[in-house]
Amino acid sequence: MASPGREGFEASLAELSASAPALIAGADGLPALEAARVSLLGRKGRLTLLLKSLKDLDLEDRKRLGPEANGLKGRIEASLDEKLGALQGAALEKELDSFRLDLSLPGSPCPRGRRHPLVQTADEMAEILRRLGFSWAEGPHVESDHYNFWALNFPPDHPAMDAHDTFYVKAAPGRTLLLRTHTSPVQIRTLEAQRPPKPVRIISPGRVFRHENADASHSAVFHQIEGLCVDRGVTMADLKGTLRLFLEGLFGPGTRMRLRPSFFPFTEPSAQVDIQCTLCQGAGCPVCKRLGWLEILGAGMVHPNVLRGAGYDPEVWSGYAWGLGVERVAMLKKQVKDIRLFYQNDLRFLEQWS
Ligand code: PHE
């Protein structure tokens, strides 16, 4: 004897097993698949309800239709799983496609730096002098008046100090600190560091400061290279020979130079050194102001007072020194017309020299 709901049950089971595969297969995305799962196996899903109604069937029918219905449930679960895997795989595929590395794109450029034209000029000078036996010395930018002036034989209130007006730094009472106006203090610091006195041959490149209004050829901050040679029996001829080699190395073989008498408190005699104009070869042009010569550096024989003050007996030791501006040389060599261009960090200017 068949139980009352059996035919309905069988019909529903047949209908579900025919329609469920198409429902699942037709889901075109994860939300559609989830909707299909809920409609079949959710709490009020059609198969869920059908399975619940098993208990209303007779024992015989239950024994036969129960496994059938549970078999269908297993097949539906398996195909839901399979479809889920397929949809997730497709979604991943799509994502990977949209993120694909395009190796044909040009790389982002990594700009290459270079030395500043002033550093290039200072390095070039230091290299020539290194080959002549000069080593490298440095001193502080904030300097005492002792090293900047008094140890260099500046008499107090001497007019020579007018050219050395600078910026003063607040210091302890009785102590005067200033931004050094030249690299010459390094002469004193170097000589004082030799105990007992020894021959020295140094250059000292560095930044110097002066109270100056900026224009095309002046800057309150600029750079110098100091040279100092002290030994037994050093003469003015050594100074001239060294400067000739130095200036020929810098401006080319055959560069002519001349020494004119000058004054510095720390050298005696003192000279202003000119080179023949590199642009007009002495004929006279706007760069040399029609003079045919260019002032390039200050030099002289180290003053006996300077030697004595630094612990060198001037009866035994003698020496020469010079100082020159890095900007001045760079402007001549690179034909730069305005000193301020060096400090503006404009790549269009800086990139012109590698
Ligand atoms: N220190 C001097 C200046 O700045 C230059 C100089 C150096 C002159 C060494 C003679 C010797 O003007």
Side-chain angles (χ1 to χ4, degrees), residues 21-346:
L23 183 67
I24 293 168
D28 56 2
L30 293 172
L33 185 66
E34 176 61 7
R37 190 191 65 78
V38 170
S39 80
L40 294 168
L41 297 175
R43 258 190 327 120
K44 291 186 175 136
R46 284 153 70 204
L47 187 56
T48 311
L49 295 178
L50 191 66
L51 287 166
K52 271 189 184 158
S53 71
L54 259 178
K55 63 177 192 317
D56 304 326
L57 300 183
D58 290 344
L59 182 62
E60 282 303 303
D61 293 332
R62 280 211 305 268
K63 272 191 180 161
R64 185 170 58 81
L65 292 171
E68 230 177 89
N70 277 310
L72 177 61
K73 187 183 180 194
R75 287 200 300 285
I76 286 177
E77 283 173 341
S79 63
L80 279 170
D81 274 356
E82 194 188 324
K83 183 71 180 176
L84 182 68
L87 286 175
Q88 283 173 338
L92 182 64
E93 204 64 41
K94 205 172 142 196
E95 193 179 320
L96 286 177
D97 262 0
S98 66
F99 280 115
R100 197 161 51 198
L101 253 188
D102 183 353
L103 296 177
S104 69
L105 269 180
S108 33
C110 178
R112 203 152 160 229
R114 67 197 73 204
R115 287 174 308 157
H116 190 282
L118 290 178
V119 176
Q120 290 172 25
T121 307
D123 283 356
E124 193 185 333
M125 294 193 265
E127 175 55 22
I128 297 167
L129 293 161
R130 187 189 64 79
R131 280 186 259 128
L132 293 175
F134 288 80
S135 53
W136 183 289
E138 284 182 25
H141 292 160
V142 179
E143 189 52 282
S144 67
D145 57 346
H146 170 76
Y147 284 115
N148 197 80
F149 294 125
W150 318 139
L152 285 163
N153 199 38
F154 279 80
D157 302 320
H158 192 277
M161 287 177 66
D162 289 355
H164 292 260
D165 192 13
T166 183
F167 306 90
Y168 284 78
V169 176
K170 264 214 175 98
R175 195 167 146 67
T176 302
L177 290 179
L178 46 87
L179 299 187
R180 67 179 184 186
T181 59
H182 50 178
T183 42
S184 300
V186 184
Q187 290 188 30
I188 310 298
R189 290 179 173 276
T190 304
L191 293 176
E192 278 183 1
Q194 323 296 321
R195 286 290 176 268
K198 287 190 279 296
V200 302
R201 201 172 291 167
I202 53 117
I203 57 160
S204 185
R207 191 163 294 173
V208 299
F209 309 82
R210 289 191 194 180
H211 183 195
E212 201 95 65
N213 286 320
D215 62 25
S217 52
H218 293 88
S219 164
V221 182
F222 60 105
H223 301 80
Q224 289 187 334
I225 293 192
E226 190 84 8
L228 172 69
C229 168
V230 174
D231 206 337
R232 293 176 177 85
V234 176
T235 70
M236 192 101 182
D238 298 311
L239 169 62
K240 281 184 75 174
T242 303
L243 288 179
R244 168 156 289 126
L245 288 171
F246 174 50
L247 294 173
E248 286 201 8
L250 197 54
F251 293 102
T255 299
R256 293 188 58 198
M257 72 169 197
R258 71 177 185 187
L259 272 64
R260 287 181 292 121
S262 186
F263 172 81
F264 299 103
F266 38 94
T267 48
E268 182 59 33
S270 302
Q272 191 67 50
V273 181
D274 302 339
I275 55 164
Q276 200 163 59
C277 180
T278 48
L279 230 77
C280 63
Q281 259 66 355
C285 72
V287 169
C288 59
K289 300 193 183 87
R290 315 233 155 261
L291 295 170
W293 295 89
L294 297 162
E295 264 186 24
I296 201 84
L297 57 86
M301 300 306 291
V302 180
H303 197 290
N305 288 352
V306 171
L307 289 171
R308 202 177 296 112
Y312 280 68
D313 180 355
E315 298 300 324
V316 177
W317 302 93
S318 59
Y320 59 81
W322 78 83
L324 91 171
V326 177
E327 278 81 349
R328 175 122 177 90
V329 172
M331 286 172 81
L332 284 174
K333 283 183 67 91
K334 299 179 190 296
Q335 303 196 15
V336 174
K337 301 244 164 5
D338 192 321
I339 196 170
R340 291 167 289 197
L341 288 166
F342 289 121
Y343 314 120
Q344 286 163 351
N345 282 337
D346 186 334

